[in-house]
Structures are given as structure tokens and as C-alpha cells.
Amino acid sequence: MSITALKVSQKSAAVVTGAGSGIGKSFAYEIARRGGQVICVDIDLKAAQNTATMLKELGTKAIAYQCDVGSESAMEKLSNEAEDLLERPITLLVNNAGVGAGGSIGEMSMKDWQWIMKVNLWGVIHGCHFFTPKLKGLGYGGIINVASAAAFAAAPEMGAYNVTKAGVLSLSETLAAELVGTGVNVTVLCPTMVPTNIIENSRISKEDKEMGARAMEKLAFTNSDKVARQTLSALDKGKLYMMPQIDAKIWWRVKRFAPAPYARGIGEVYKLFR
Ligand SMILES: NC(=O)c1ccc[n+]([C@@H]2O[C@H](COP(=O)([O-])OP(=O)(O)OC[C@H]3O[C@@H](n4cnc5c(N)ncnc54)[C@H](O)[C@@H]3O)[C@@H](O)[C@H]2O)c1
């Protein structure tokens, strides 16, 4: 069967960042389940190795690869080595690695701003920059960028996170436009809450972690495996936007159709809880 007769998510040669935990781990698993081979990239080598071991048990080739997505040189190196590691051209890139940090504007430290921008935004820029020419050259494949409903919801005390995700959304929209007709699909994932380790790993106070964990328990109506499956299917269908939950879909529409009332409303709700 020729490569282009396949759906992008099937039998792919994939690079998944942040594959050691949560949504990235689920992407890696689902790609392997669809017959793909995966380079499991993570800053945490042990976590990447655990995911690679799980994938190998499915009978596929999986390689653990330690890399900080925020490092330009490390990501360039990854892009140069990936094809040799899997012994075939990369057909699928999932720019998933991300971190959380909270705090209001003017209070959150510059150090935390720089950290989150580097991982969440520069990480995705690096992935797109170094892998897009290779995918274009192949004339086939896909890029999934993991943003968040935070890209458009502008929730208070999440300014830095919101900025990074709005950047990922805009980058994905631009990339999709540039790749029309090239055979390379782009999907941007914008979930609300998905139970993972993100809150535990975030730079927020102990109290905020506890509050976040409680909210996650009450408000997460999905799981990372389901989100990965839905997103890979969206990529196969050439869909740019993937809002996996009903609340994400509602916020997306309200924000687009009534942006000013939305902005006022979210500020009023925030005042009630301060
Ligand atoms: N969980 C949610 O509610 C939620 C909602 C919307 C969007 N997201 C996004 O989903 C993505 C995955 O997050 P998750 O929820 O699975 O979190 P997670 O903390 O469970 O997993 C994130 C993974 O990324 C890795 N990572 C962190 N910094 C890295 C770096 N510099 N280089 C390489 N790897 C790095 C971590 O080691 C970890 O394995 C993130 O981009 C996040 O912003 C999550």
C-alpha cells in the first residue's frame, strides 16, 4: 500500500513531545495501537523510558529520547536524528509538552513567565520550525499542536499560560494555511480539564494545587486516552480545530460571537471568587 493511501494516524513514524505523562503518553499509546512507531520525547528520561516500554509491549518500535523542547539546539538535533532513529521519514509530530504556572499579571515572577513561554510556546515553535520543511518535502503527514481552551478563554490569574496557548493556536492556524495543498494536515487541540499530572507539576501554590485537583475531579468529563483518540481522528479528517469537550465548544462559540460581553462576564465572575 502506498504511504498516501493511509490515514495520517495509521502506521505513522511519530515524534511525541511530553510523552512521559498525561496527554502525551496517551498520544504515544494510541499512535502505537494504530500501528505506528514513536520517539517518546520528554525532559524526564525515566518517564519517557516508561512510556517506550509500554509501547514496546504492544509490539511496536518505541524510543525514549531526552530533550527540553524549549532548547532550540536540542530540538534541531532531535529533528536531525529522528529519521535515523526510526529508519524512516517522520510522518507525524505531536507538539504536546507543556507546563502550568499561575498568578496575576504584575505579581507572577518574570522567571515563571520566561519558563512557561519557553516550554509552551517556544517548544511548539521549535517543533514546527524544524519538522515542517521535512514533512513538506515528504508531501504527506500531520502536525498536532496541543494548545488549550485557555487559548481563547482568558481566565484570570492564568495570564502567562493563556498567552502561550493563544500563541500556539495562532501558530497552528497560520501553519495550516501555509500547508494547504501540501499533503500535511494540522490539528490544534484545545481541551478544558483533562486529568493528568499538570496541576501537580505546575508552579502554583500548595493551596492552588489542592483547589485545582478538586476542580479537576468535579469538572473533567473526559480522559487523556479519549482526547488522544479524538484528536488523531480529527487530524485524519483534516480538521484544524479539536475541542474535545462540551464546555470548550461553548466557550469557543461565546467568545467568537460575543467577545466583549464575554470579557466583562469573566471579570465579574472572577471578582465574586476573589
Ligand atoms: N491536563 C489538562 O487539563 C490540560 C488542558 C489543556 C491543555 N493541556 C496541555 O496538554 C499538554 C500536556 O499536558 P498534560 O496535562 O499531559 O501534563 P503532564 O504534566 O501530565 O505531562 C506533561 C509532560 O511534559 C513533560 N515536559 C515538561 N516540560 C518539558 C520540556 N521542557 N521538554 C520536554 N518535555 C517536557 C513533562 O515531563 C511531562 O511528562 C500541555 O501542553 C498542556 O498545557 C492540558
Side-chain angles (χ1 to χ4, degrees), residues 17-25 41-44 47 67-70 95-100 115 119-120 146-150 161 165 189-199 201 216 224:
T17 70
S21 172
I23 297 172
K25 188 173 185 175
V41 177
D42 208 288
I43 197 165
D44 178 344
C67 172
D68 176 355
V69 296
N95 284 309
N96 160 81
V99 290
W115 175 65
V119 182
N120 290 13
V146 179
S148 164
Y161 187 78
K165 296 303 182 177
L189 169 63
C190 299
T192 51
M193 289 192 165
V194 185
T196 65
N197 293 315
I198 194 159
I199 292 175
N201 294 336
M216 190 69 96
S224 56

Side-chain angles (χ1 to χ4, degrees), residues 76-154:
E76 184 173 22
K77 186 166 173 278
L78 167 67
S79 74
N80 288 331
E81 291 175 353
E83 180 170 339
D84 285 346
L85 287 171
L86 291 185
E87 297 171 291
R88 44 190 287 232
I90 298 302
T91 61
L92 174 58
L93 169 68
V94 184
N95 284 309
N96 160 81
V99 290
S104 49
I105 296 162
E107 287 173 14
M108 188 170 147
S109 72
M110 282 288 111
K111 208 167 156 225
D112 285 354
W113 267 95
Q114 280 150 10
W115 175 65
I116 197 167
M117 293 287 284
K118 211 162 169 209
V119 182
N120 290 13
L121 184 53
W122 276 103
V124 180
I125 294 171
H126 292 150
C128 292
H129 177 78
F130 290 117
F131 282 92
T132 297
K134 294 179 194 297
L135 285 161
K136 256 167 92 173
L138 189 65
Y140 170 84
I143 297 176
I144 292 172
N145 289 334
V146 179
S148 164
F152 46 85

Side-chain angles (χ1 to χ4, degrees), residues 190-210:
C190 299
T192 51
M193 289 192 165
V194 185
T196 65
N197 293 315
I198 194 159
I199 292 175
E200 192 46 43
N201 294 336
S202 288
R203 290 193 183 174
I204 52 175
S205 67
K206 189 167 169 280
E207 293 72 42
D208 284 349
K209 281 190 183 177
E210 284 165 7

